[in-house]
Amino acid sequence: MAQMTMIQAITDALRCELKDDENVLVFGEDVGVNGGVFRATENLQKEFGVDRVFDTPLAESGIGGLAVGLSLTGYRPVPEIQFFGFVFEVMDSISGQLARYRYRTGNTYNMPVTIRSPFGGGVHTPEMHSDSLEGLMAQQPGLKVVIPSTPYDAKGLLISSIRDNDPVIFLEHLKLYRSVKEEVPEESYTIPLGKADVKREGKDLSIFAYGLMVHESLKAAAELEKEGYSVEVVDLRTIQPLDIETIIASVEKTNRAIVVQEAQKQAGVAANIVAEITERAILSLEAPVLRVAAPDTIYPFPQAENIWLPNYKDILETAKKVLTF
Amino acid sequence: MGEKLKKQFDPAATLQDIENKFEMFQILNEEGKIVNEDAVPDLSDEELIELMTRMVYTRILDQRSISLNRQGRLGFYAPTAGQEASQLASHYALEKDDWILPGYRDVPQIVFHGLPLWKAFLFSRGHFVGNQIPEGVNVLPPQIIIGAQYVQTAGVALGIKKRGTADVAVTYTGDGGSSQGDFYEGINFAGAFKAPAIFIVQNNQFAISTPREVQTAAKTIAQKGIAAGIPSVLVDGMDPLAVYVATRDARERAVKGEGPSLIETMCYRYGPHTMSGDDPTRYRTTDIDNEWAAKDPIVRFRIYLEGKGLWNEQKETEVIEQAKEEIKAAIKKADETPKQKVTDLISNMFEEKPYNLQEQYEIFEAKESK
């Protein structure tokens, strides 16, 4: 096994799928010769040819339309949206078209499309490069939304996403691309979509998180351990659909929960989890389920990121409120 | 400064020059006379009769659909009268395996491409079975988002190119659709990929109520193809022969690997935008209506075919009667289709139901079995 960063694991997943299925096509802005602005598609054009891995003109809606059209002719498109903040340009192709095709054609056509895109804050980008917009996607019926937090998960989840016969939005946190390294098998493997991973077991409190916030939650859990609390950290991995069984089993065990998201509090995902817990496990709860999230402003200017983004200290504070309720 | 530039390159004069080059291509004039002998397509008598048959059939289908809509027996409907040449003659230039990505007014083309008429009626009524496309029929359900079909057409055409088959992808929008960003992205992508696509703009002069002049400063919509680097043509959309030739020409280039084309068909819809409350008297005068009625595609094609001894009143009556019979049978078949259930809709969301839909399925299944 090799040590890989998340970006390497993603490239590796794309390579496995390009090799395995000749209908897999990788395309987007600068994904060819340049290998993507983050090098997610490094060397893939060289290896698989310009017919399979190709640059598109600079237009996100066009990229979305291309994915729809290529699906109709039997391909399995894996387009990249260069930064997820650009998703607004392709919202019709995603929400108005991709998400609805199976439904509107009564199961005649399906869209085996995986849209990959970097997102997430903390790396001082210009506007519209760091927003956490997964809530918009998670609220659109017809889409699956996957967000890995480790290189190992990224590879297995991306392969599953590509093989899925319905559209998947696969979001890659910018800050995780190169900050974590771990053993990743070189052969192909899958991790099922819609399955959470208990990253750390505990019995006093459940923390539900995804993406970068999994790491902040683990840090908080380690701190809390020093104070005698046993904290469970559940990495959701797929935020639509949720792994409701794992979430509820964890709450029933610990009786206390918080939900952490990097996105603004009003941005949906955590609220949905709180609602699910309330509907399904209210009698197990010893305290209200609280959220750790960013304030409900537009994503901040780069120099204000550090004070705006949620971190392990915010998680600690909220965790203590719930633990001592 | 301006003068210096002008000496080397005169932008305004260049624009005018290009715009003036977009003359309208016509073969059969409004009196049913051939005005462009060299361009007359090589269609057999049977083929000419078939094209006329389809146009007459579609006019009857339009009349019946409007009346069925008024009786509450059809739902959403966008009238087609006036656009028969633009729709049916362009479709007649296609082959069976070509893909059609229609707008909401382009139901006749997908019916003649293989979508059963009763399904078209179910689409109008708002039943998903109407959008279940039979295997081997390469059409999409009518697109509602103006222009979305244009970017998808670039994708289908790129797929065809990658598969290496001798097919094309054809799409339709209106004059209003040519203002959408997706219009430009679609023609530009297809051009950049040299993909076998044909983009047809049926310029029926009004986007609901907004006249063509409000959409763009460009003198023609056809010239917009120039910016994308693709061949473009302005065609008399009331002339079935000209529309056929322009589409056939674009198709030949496409299958030879020469890339996409843009076709603007100048036409007119006689009826309202849709049957959902649009009143054309608010934005069109009787004079304009009459001006276009005089250009009617069926009238001129009838004169032409009668002159060749290929058409007569009896033949036309037969087609009309056949259309009425088939429409009646299709409505009956649509009536017999089982009602939609929420469990059907839930089942059509994903290949496998996630937990939320599974739970909701069970709830509705219990309700539906009562």
Side-chain angles (χ1 to χ4, degrees):
Chain A
M1 265 200 278
Q3 288 276 324
M4 287 190 206
T5 59
M6 190 189 277
I7 196 86
Q8 289 167 331
I10 286 164
T11 313
D12 202 45
L14 292 171
R15 182 179 291 114
C16 287
E17 287 310 279
L18 281 160
K19 212 178 280 176
D20 252 35
D21 181 351
E22 59 180 20
N23 286 318
V24 170
L25 300 174
V26 171
F27 55 91
E29 296 157 6
D30 309 300
V31 306
V33 174
N34 197 40
V37 292
F38 292 101
R39 309 290 176 257
T41 54
E42 180 95 299
N43 288 325
L44 295 180
Q45 189 177 66
K46 214 181 280 174
E47 213 171 314
F48 296 97
V50 74
D51 203 45
R52 310 273 314 279
V53 180
F54 55 94
D55 289 324
T56 65
L58 200 166
E60 285 77 17
S61 186
I63 292 170
L66 219 54
V68 172
L70 287 166
S71 298
L72 291 167
T73 45
Y75 287 100
R76 200 168 274 278
V78 190
E80 177 180 294
I81 297 300
Q82 197 161 64
F83 288 90
F84 206 58
F86 308 166
V87 73
F88 297 109
E89 292 286 340
V90 62
M91 277 304 274
D92 178 57
S93 281
I94 295 176
S95 289
Q97 310 291 329
L98 275 171
R100 306 167 83 100
Y101 254 97
R102 184 189 285 279
Y103 175 82
R104 71 191 283 257
T105 62
N107 253 328
T108 320
Y109 296 129
N110 65 299
M111 294 282 137
V113 175
T114 301
I115 297 183
R116 289 184 39 253
S117 190
F119 83 111
V123 295
H124 305 310
T125 62
E127 273 187 290
M128 304 300 295
H129 285 66
S130 294
D131 295 53
S132 289
L133 300 170
E134 66 276 10
L136 294 176
M137 298 291 113
Q139 288 192 27
Q140 170 62 55
L143 300 177
K144 294 175 184 173
V145 186
V146 177
I147 303 180
S149 71
T150 67
Y152 179 87
D153 284 357
K155 180 170 173 180
L157 288 168
L158 182 52
I159 290 175
S160 294
S161 300
I162 295 171
R163 292 181 186 177
D164 199 279
N165 287 327
D166 289 300
V168 177
I169 309 296
F170 190 89
L171 298 175
E172 305 159 4
H173 200 290
L174 279 167
K175 223 177 164 179
L176 291 175
Y177 268 156
R178 293 184 171 83
S179 60
V180 188
K181 234 180 184 188
E182 67 178 346
E183 300 266 300
V184 176
E186 271 154 83
E187 66 273 12
S188 194
Y189 62 94
T190 57
I191 294 172
L193 306 187
K195 289 277 170 259
D197 183 35
V198 179
K199 288 278 192 256
R200 177 192 171 106
E201 293 209 34
K203 47 188 198 321
D204 299 329
L205 169 74
S206 302
I207 303 182
F208 301 107
Y210 56 95
L212 181 69
M213 288 300 126
V214 171
H215 300 275
E216 294 296 315
S217 301
L218 287 168
K219 227 193 265 183
E223 288 289 317
L224 288 164
E225 192 179 19
K226 289 179 204 159
E227 296 175 37
Y229 295 112
S230 160
V231 177
E232 181 147 304
V233 177
V234 179
D235 179 359
L236 298 168
R237 299 198 292 197
T238 303
I239 59 162
Q240 188 61 258
L242 292 169
D243 181 355
I244 206 70
E245 276 176 34
T246 301
I247 293 170
I248 298 306
S250 180
V251 171
E252 284 172 348
K253 179 172 72 173
T254 64
N255 311 116
R256 293 170 201 266
I258 65 171
V259 189
V260 187
Q261 70 182 19
E262 180 179 317
Q264 295 89 334
K265 201 166 197 176
Q266 72 178 58
V269 177
N272 185 40
I273 295 162
V274 176
E276 290 283 11
I277 294 171
T278 310
E279 284 186 3
R280 291 165 198 268
I282 195 148
L283 296 178
S284 302
L285 291 173
E286 297 287 346
V289 183
L290 297 187
R291 288 175 285 171
V292 179
D296 293 326
T297 72
I298 299 295
Y299 190 84
F301 297 100
Q303 294 203 345
E305 270 181 328
N306 291 344
I307 55 170
W308 188 89
L309 286 165
N311 60 28
Y312 79 97
K313 288 180 197 156
D314 303 308
I315 300 170
L316 269 181
E317 198 180 307
T318 305
K320 279 187 190 161
K321 271 189 208 161
V322 172
L323 282 163
T324 58
F325 182 82
Chain B
M1 282 300 279
E3 285 308 306
K4 276 186 191 167
L5 174 62
K6 214 169 171 182
K7 264 186 210 155
Q8 218 190 334
F9 178 81
D10 187 336
T14 306
L15 171 65
Q16 208 167 35
D17 194 35
I18 289 170
E19 290 193 320
N20 289 339
K21 283 199 169 124
F22 277 88
E23 275 180 47
M24 193 168 76
F25 175 59
Q26 191 184 55
I27 296 175
L28 189 68
N29 73 6
E30 9 190 316
E31 281 97 45
K33 291 206 173 63
I34 298 291
V35 292
N36 191 349
E37 194 68 54
D38 292 346
V40 175
D42 192 19
L43 287 169
S44 69
D45 289 352
E46 289 70 31
E47 287 170 326
L48 289 169
I49 292 168
E50 175 61 21
L51 178 53
M52 179 63 175
T53 300
R54 291 182 183 193
M55 287 168 57
V56 171
Y57 190 108
T58 301
R59 181 68 61 91
I60 298 304
L61 176 60
D62 187 59
Q63 289 167 2
R64 291 295 300 137
S65 297
I66 288 169
S67 126
L68 287 162
N69 170 282
R70 290 198 175 122
Q71 295 163 31
R73 298 180 70 199
L74 277 187
F76 172 77
Y77 182 69
T80 58
Q83 297 189 208
E84 291 87 351
S86 176
Q87 295 182 323
L88 282 318
S90 60
H91 175 257
Y92 204 55
L94 305 181
E95 299 293 334
K96 192 194 161 289
D97 289 336
D98 292 344
W99 277 86
I100 302 179
L101 291 87
Y104 44 75
R105 204 179 307 283
D106 304 307
V107 174
Q109 298 98 303
I110 59 173
V111 167
F112 282 105
H113 211 58
L115 182 78
L117 186 56
W118 63 276
K119 289 207 174 214
F121 288 150
L122 284 177
F123 158 75
S124 167
R125 287 177 175 183
H127 194 304
F128 75 87
V129 169
N131 284 354
Q132 285 182 320
I133 311 295
E135 185 85 31
V137 177
N138 291 339
V139 304
L140 293 188
Q143 180 60 248
I144 299 300
I145 297 301
I146 310 283
Q149 69 271 36
Y150 261 54
V151 284
Q152 293 173 17
T153 298
V156 173
L158 181 59
I160 291 169
K161 184 180 174 177
K162 286 184 184 299
R163 297 277 178 220
T165 55
D167 312 315
V168 300
V170 182
T171 191
Y172 295 86
T173 192
D175 35 315
S178 72
S179 296
Q180 286 281 8
D182 276 355
F183 169 85
Y184 295 95
E185 293 188 28
I187 61 174
N188 188 59
F189 269 56
F193 291 121
K194 232 177 188 192
I198 303 175
F199 297 98
I200 298 178
V201 176
Q202 300 188 75
N203 176 0
N204 66 15
Q205 317 302 322
F206 291 87
I208 303 189
S209 69
T210 308
R212 163 39 201 98
E213 308 82 76
V214 175
Q215 297 294 342
T216 173
K219 194 171 153 197
T220 69
I221 292 167
Q223 75 196 59
K224 289 168 185 271
I226 301 291
I230 70 174
S232 317
V233 59
L234 172 64
V235 182
D236 179 355
M238 308 298 265
D239 170 0
L241 297 181
V243 172
Y244 175 83
V245 167
T247 314
R248 196 68 200 169
D249 180 59
R251 193 185 181 284
E252 276 166 19
R253 273 199 309 276
V255 296
K256 273 196 286 182
E258 293 172 23
S261 301
L262 176 66
I263 299 172
E264 175 185 3
T265 61
M266 284 286 262
C267 57
Y268 199 71
R269 71 168 144 83
Y270 298 157
H273 163 64
T274 68
M275 293 303 293
S276 316
D278 178 45
D279 172 11
T281 63
R282 292 170 70 90
Y283 53 86
R284 295 194 312 213
T285 62
T286 320
D287 284 351
I288 302 175
D289 286 347
N290 291 340
E291 192 188 303
W292 281 94
K295 299 176 202 261
D296 190 80
I298 293 176
V299 170
R300 72 171 83 174
F301 206 37
R302 183 189 292 127
I303 298 171
Y304 175 63
L305 293 191
E306 281 175 352
K308 287 170 89 75
L310 298 176
W311 198 260
N312 54 38
E313 210 181 314
Q314 191 202 335
K315 175 77 189 150
E316 187 148 332
T317 310
E318 279 168 28
V319 173
I320 292 169
E321 289 312 312
Q322 191 201 343
K324 285 182 178 167
E325 281 306 307
E326 287 182 17
I327 291 163
K328 209 195 258 175
I331 283 289
K332 187 160 176 279
K333 184 132 196 225
D335 288 343
E336 287 162 6
T337 307
K339 282 195 177 131
Q340 292 166 112
K341 299 185 302 234
V342 176
T343 46
D344 294 329
L345 308 182
I346 289 174
S347 300
N348 290 340
M349 283 303 297
F350 293 100
E351 188 170 49
E352 280 173 47
K353 291 180 205 69
Y355 81 93
N356 49 335
L357 286 173
Q358 182 57 43
E359 289 175 356
Q360 290 156 19
Y361 183 91
E362 284 158 18
I363 292 166
F364 279 95
E365 196 182 32
K367 278 187 192 172
E368 286 163 1
S369 67
K370 272 176 199 161

